[in-house]
Amino acid sequence: MPDASAASTTLPSTLGSSVEDGPTAEPFAHPSDTFDVEPPYVPDAAEIAAVEKFEDRFLDRELSWLHFNQRVLELAEDHSLPLLERARFLAIFASNLDEFFMVRVAGIKRRIAAGVAVRAASGLLPRQQLEQLWADSRDLMERHARVFSDQVIPELRDQGIEIVRWAELDRDEQKVCKKLFKERIFPVLTPLAVDPAHPFPYISGLSLNLAVVVRHPKTKTQHFARVKVPPIFSRFVAVGNQRFVPLEDVISEHLRKLFPGMEVLQAHTFRVTRNEDLEVEEDDAENLLKALEKELLRRKFGPPVRLEVEDSIDQKMLDLLISELGVNRQEVSRLPGPLDLRGLHSIADLPRDDLKFPTFVPTTHAHLAEVETSKPVDVFESVRRNDVLLHHPYDSFATSVQRFLEQAAADPHVLAIKQTLYRTSGDSPIIDALIDAAEAGKQVLVIVEIKARFDEQANIRWARKLEHAGCHVVYGLVGLKTHCKLSLVVRDEPDGIRRYTHIGTGNYNPKTARLYEDLGLLTADPAVGEDVAHLFNNLSGISRNTTYDGLLVAPDSVRDGLIGQIHAEVANHQAGRSSGIRIKANSIVDEAIIDALYLASQAGVPVDLLIRGICALRPGVPGLSETIQVRSILGRFLEHSRVFWFVNDGEPLAWIGSADMMHRNLDRRVEVLVRLPEGPNVEAIGELLDLAFEPTTSAWTLDNTGAWRLNDGDVHLQERLIEQQRRRR
């Protein structure tokens, strides 16, 4: 049986400090000889050369991400899905693409500006990447606009929901808008003119704006002005009878109120995307909080990376925007209005159940709901009897993880709670439980990751609230993000101190737990509890223990451990024993792990990958990856769990945890994978993967060119799991 620790430190972390400019990981890193294979398998030079001769074996990670967002767009085009859900997928596509430009495209631009000409693993130079990304993303943006205007708008109209422009409003509807403008919108607006006394105003990232040209009626002098569309109002204004008009149309129609005595000649909407990634120096951990707050202020003033304009914009006005904003013409996207379709979330939220997915209510896991009494089940008693493998959102987060922490906070026998927090909701009951525990005199340690991208401000706020309540708040290790999902409860029981542990694949966020598919393990296993206790000590103290009995922990042992398990499957296959690898993850980019999977495929090991997002592995290449298939499932819930499954000669090994197979996860984050104890929980994971890879299950499949094609099978994974959950209920 392989040793779970695989704690070799022989693999050097050669990556740079940013994902954009670091060299790739060493492709063939050999884990320590802790795997029970006779003899231990290590690829020889010929086997390594047989993989490395395929110089184009890695797909480009950035292009792969665009292909993922294309799959999101294809959901919006899928007429078998409820109409308002398709509108929501349009909003999700828009939000995804915004973040892609703010972080990934901005990073490539930064590399080009710095003169860094290092090729990506795919072989593309930064400038080549940028050109291809712009070509593909522009096609997707135009397709996105067409789906909205040509498909979703007419179909919504057929269902009595209309998104119209100002000219389509009747007189009564225009009166509603005029009243709204006068009473609520006008007091908020601030027109900003551009003239010798007024420089061109700063345009904040992702804000929607009106570029206005006004003329003095006597002198005929023309002036440019900018009016920001206030984000505090609904993106689409309700005018009655499920009819909506874009907010900027209401403002445009009333611009004379903002420029009295002037003639309004033109008004066009535009939107700027800026570099909003953070660069925080972490040499001094004590000043990290202040440094991050300072950087958050700087984020608002990042350089532009994209300018979106309505296709009706006047060329002179566009030239002015390009000049004043400092964007290249290649960074301009001319699109049919309305811009910024993130606001379609409000349309998708309309109370039209006939146009949405059927209502779904998670149920309490069977081990946590054995006796229906007037008081909740004792989570500690249930976990002492059986490990509990949770599968959200099918298993209720509220009656499992949340109840576990709330019960711990109220239980007088609980001595301490230790918790990691990466992202959580604004009204989090998890935060409340930790505060209650601290106020009750329990020792409460919270590892708050304040560098969680785009949640930094919220996490700083929660960190301070926890500190004020008496919790011990730590920001993790310098240079590493704490991304692992851990909760540890120390309880004084008649037979001594016992540790209860939750290890998950998703955040401690009750809201996203209803939308994200994730796994979690509740266990009283002493070995797991001791490992997690050591890890918390590493995170809060100065020790650097890197060996664990039941965990793989990044950056020390996740890559080595997984490669070692892959090599063990190669050894099994070579010895005539049953072998196979199945992995479910958000992304696979790490070259060392991909090369190990290629080597396994060349040896004949079956490899199944279920990857929601980015995949840099090229499957189905003759002589390289013929036994590898890659699938992707998107749907009602965001597939978020990470699972690593190895056949192991008929005695399967299964790991779950927080780590994706990306450089940032394996080298610059604290991540945890836990091995599930043998028995029914391992079998349950096997059944889940069997269903996912069933040929009749609907999924996208990746070919060796990097293209994804939908295999619209008879079985839809998430719908099948909902059906199974309802039968259990």
Side-chain angles (χ1 to χ4, degrees):
M1 185 71 65
D3 179 352
S5 65
S8 167
T9 57
T10 59
L11 176 65
S13 178
T14 57
L15 291 171
S17 60
S18 73
V19 73
E20 289 84 9
D21 58 10
T24 59
E26 184 69 27
F28 284 97
H30 307 308
S32 55
D33 296 338
T34 56
F35 293 85
D36 188 14
V37 179
E38 296 294 341
Y41 170 77
V42 175
D44 59 28
E47 291 172 308
I48 293 173
V51 170
E52 292 182 338
K53 72 177 183 179
F54 292 88
E55 295 181 357
D56 62 346
R57 63 190 184 276
F58 300 117
L59 297 171
D60 190 79
R61 63 153 291 165
E62 315 299 356
L63 293 173
S64 181
W65 186 93
L66 280 181
H67 295 157
F68 151 69
N69 212 29
Q70 177 180 322
R71 299 196 292 279
V72 175
L73 184 56
E74 289 175 14
L75 291 174
E77 297 170 327
D78 186 349
H79 291 271
S80 70
L81 296 180
L83 182 56
L84 287 182
E85 305 296 349
R86 292 169 56 202
R88 191 179 303 281
F89 282 121
L90 286 176
I92 292 171
F93 171 93
S95 181
N96 284 349
L97 198 61
D98 285 346
E99 184 170 338
F100 180 72
F101 273 91
M102 287 189 294
V103 178
R104 305 305 309 176
V105 173
I108 295 174
K109 281 195 66 177
R110 189 164 62 243
R111 291 173 63 187
I112 293 172
V116 177
V118 177
R119 291 185 184 273
S122 62
L124 295 179
L125 289 168
R127 194 170 297 280
Q128 293 173 317
Q129 275 186 308
L130 191 61
E131 291 172 357
Q132 188 63 56
L133 290 176
W134 260 112
D136 288 7
S137 61
R138 187 172 283 109
D139 288 344
L140 287 176
M141 284 187 278
E142 293 171 356
R143 178 175 168 184
H144 177 247
R146 288 196 304 271
V147 173
F148 174 66
S149 61
D150 299 347
Q151 298 182 31
V152 173
I153 286 278
E155 292 176 44
L156 285 172
R157 185 181 301 118
D158 292 342
Q159 296 297 328
I161 300 171
E162 297 184 79
I163 300 176
V164 298
R165 306 310 295 259
W166 180 265
E168 300 173 80
L169 298 177
D170 61 32
R171 182 170 300 178
D172 290 338
E173 291 169 336
Q174 290 182 359
K175 287 182 179 179
V176 170
C177 292
K178 288 179 180 179
K179 185 174 186 293
L180 176 67
F181 180 85
K182 179 180 179 180
E183 295 179 355
R184 296 187 58 80
I185 300 175
F186 178 73
V188 177
L189 298 178
T190 303
L192 297 174
V194 176
D195 59 29
H198 300 85
F200 193 91
Y202 177 78
I203 309 298
S204 53
L206 300 188
S207 63
L208 191 63
N209 304 272
L210 287 168
V212 183
V213 175
V214 297
R215 182 173 61 191
H216 193 284
K218 292 183 177 180
T219 66
K220 304 302 181 181
T221 303
Q222 295 187 9
H223 299 274
F224 172 87
R226 172 259 193 158
V227 178
K228 181 177 180 178
V229 178
I232 58 174
F233 298 113
S234 176
R235 177 73 184 82
F236 296 99
V237 176
V239 294
N241 299 319
Q242 293 193 326
R243 279 167 60 87
F244 302 86
V245 62
L247 178 58
E248 64 270 24
D249 282 20
V250 178
I251 297 173
S252 294
E253 184 63 24
H254 296 87
L255 285 173
R256 290 185 300 276
K257 301 290 185 182
L258 288 173
F259 303 96
M262 303 292 285
E263 299 172 347
V264 178
L265 302 182
Q266 298 180 45
H268 304 280
T269 55
F270 71 96
R271 186 169 179 262
V272 178
T273 310
R274 294 186 178 277
N275 177 352
E276 297 203 16
D277 205 9
L278 296 181
E279 301 174 56
V280 181
E281 295 295 333
E282 298 182 83
D283 295 335
D284 188 346
E286 291 183 3
N287 292 327
L288 176 58
L289 194 63
K290 293 181 180 179
L292 185 59
E293 287 179 313
K294 182 178 179 180
E295 187 69 7
L296 285 170
L297 292 175
R298 187 209 60 78
R299 170 187 274 176
K300 299 178 181 179
F301 300 94
V305 294
R306 178 179 58 162
L307 172 62
E308 297 169 273
V309 298
E310 279 195 288
D311 53 11
S312 59
I313 193 169
D314 177 80
Q315 186 61 46
K316 289 184 178 179
M317 183 176 287
L318 177 58
D319 291 341
L320 174 66
L321 291 175
I322 290 173
S323 173
E324 293 291 346
L325 292 169
V327 298
N328 299 321
R329 293 192 178 275
Q330 295 79 9
E331 297 172 331
V332 177
S333 294
R334 301 184 70 141
L335 301 166
L339 304 179
D340 191 9
L341 293 184
R342 295 177 302 169
L344 285 174
H345 279 297
S346 64
I347 303 297
D349 288 337
L350 289 172
R352 288 289 302 270
D353 291 345
D354 56 318
L355 301 179
K356 298 181 181 181
F357 289 124
T359 301
F360 168 74
V361 180
T363 58
T364 301
H365 191 285
H367 289 166
L368 301 177
E370 295 173 331
V371 180
E372 291 296 335
T373 63
S374 59
K375 62 179 182 179
V377 70
D378 187 325
V379 176
F380 299 125
E381 181 181 347
S382 298
V383 174
R384 278 197 304 271
R385 288 197 300 266
N386 298 287
D387 288 344
V388 179
L389 180 65
L390 301 165
H391 193 192
H392 308 301
Y394 313 102
D395 293 321
S396 168
F397 182 89
T399 60
S400 55
V401 180
Q402 183 178 321
R403 181 181 293 172
F404 169 61
L405 289 168
E406 290 174 339
Q407 184 176 328
D411 188 339
H413 299 291
V414 168
L415 305 178
I417 302 174
K418 301 185 179 186
Q419 178 78 42
T420 62
L421 286 179
Y422 192 75
R423 302 185 198 275
T424 190
S425 59
D427 53 350
S428 172
I430 303 298
I431 299 288
D432 293 340
L434 295 172
I435 289 173
D436 290 344
E439 292 177 344
K442 297 174 172 58
Q443 292 290 314
V444 179
L445 170 68
V446 188
I447 312 294
V448 178
E449 181 47 73
I450 58 173
K451 301 187 297 298
R453 182 178 286 150
F454 302 123
D455 275 343
E456 299 94 346
Q457 197 67 58
N459 286 7
I460 290 172
R461 185 170 62 250
W462 287 122
R464 287 184 168 145
K465 184 176 181 179
L466 289 163
E467 284 180 323
H468 292 160
C471 299
H472 300 295
V473 178
V474 178
Y475 304 124
L477 302 175
V478 174
L480 298 174
K481 280 188 179 182
T482 304
H483 188 250
C484 52
K485 322 300 180 183
L486 303 175
S487 185
L488 177 68
V489 172
V490 181
R491 193 167 187 265
D492 190 4
E493 299 186 351
D495 56 349
I497 297 294
R498 189 186 301 270
R499 296 184 180 101
Y500 295 84
T501 306
H502 174 264
I503 302 178
T505 67
N507 295 308
Y508 290 96
N509 188 325
K511 291 185 178 179
T512 57
R514 296 193 292 269
L515 303 172
Y516 287 21
E517 178 273 342
D518 273 302
L519 293 162
L521 177 69
L522 277 170
T523 181
D525 186 303
V528 173
E530 185 171 356
D531 275 353
V532 172
H534 284 314
L535 180 54
F536 271 110
N537 289 341
N538 289 346
L539 293 173
S540 64
I542 59 173
S543 62
R544 286 295 292 131
N545 173 60
T546 60
T547 60
Y548 302 90
D549 292 329
L551 306 179
L552 297 176
V553 179
D556 298 299
S557 61
V558 171
R559 180 187 283 112
D560 281 8
L562 292 176
I563 290 175
Q565 294 283 183
I566 294 168
H567 288 175
E569 292 304 303
V570 174
N572 282 333
H573 185 83
Q574 291 175 339
R577 298 188 288 263
S578 57
S579 64
I581 300 165
R582 284 183 165 179
I583 295 175
K584 180 179 183 296
N586 294 308
S587 301
I588 177 167
V589 173
D590 187 74
E591 292 86 4
I593 290 179
I594 291 175
D595 275 343
L597 292 172
Y598 283 149
L599 190 144
S601 179
Q602 287 180 328
V605 177
V607 178
D608 297 330
L609 303 178
L610 186 62
I611 308 298
R612 173 174 60 88
I614 304 170
C615 182
L617 180 145
R618 196 186 294 272
V621 176
L624 177 69
S625 55
E626 293 172 87
T627 68
I628 301 178
Q629 68 159 325
V630 180
R631 303 186 118 202
S632 182
I633 292 178
L634 281 70
R636 174 176 187 168
F637 307 125
L638 185 143
E639 294 287 328
H640 191 249
S641 64
R642 293 88 164 182
V643 177
F644 304 87
W645 168 276
F646 304 93
V647 170
N648 191 44
D649 192 24
E651 297 181 5
L653 303 175
W655 302 75
I656 65 169
S658 58
D660 279 308
M661 291 164 287
M662 303 179 73
H663 307 146
R664 68 185 188 193
N665 297 88
L666 303 181
D667 295 309
R668 298 190 298 281
R669 289 185 175 185
V670 180
E671 305 276 15
V672 169
L673 303 182
V674 61
R675 178 180 156 190
L676 299 179
E678 297 175 358
N681 290 334
V682 175
E683 294 172 6
I685 293 294
E687 292 169 1
L688 172 66
L689 295 173
D690 285 343
L691 181 59
F693 289 106
E694 185 70 33
T696 57
T697 296
S698 182
W700 282 266
T701 58
L702 179 65
D703 66 21
N704 58 23
T705 69
W708 292 87
R709 293 179 174 80
L710 178 62
N711 168 34
D712 195 7
D714 298 330
V715 176
H716 293 269
L717 177 67
Q718 296 179 356
E719 291 178 11
R720 176 63 60 85
L721 293 174
I722 289 174
E723 292 172 6
Q724 292 177 358
Q725 179 256 20
R726 286 174 175 158
R727 286 199 296 270
R728 290 196 302 270
R729 183 171 58 186

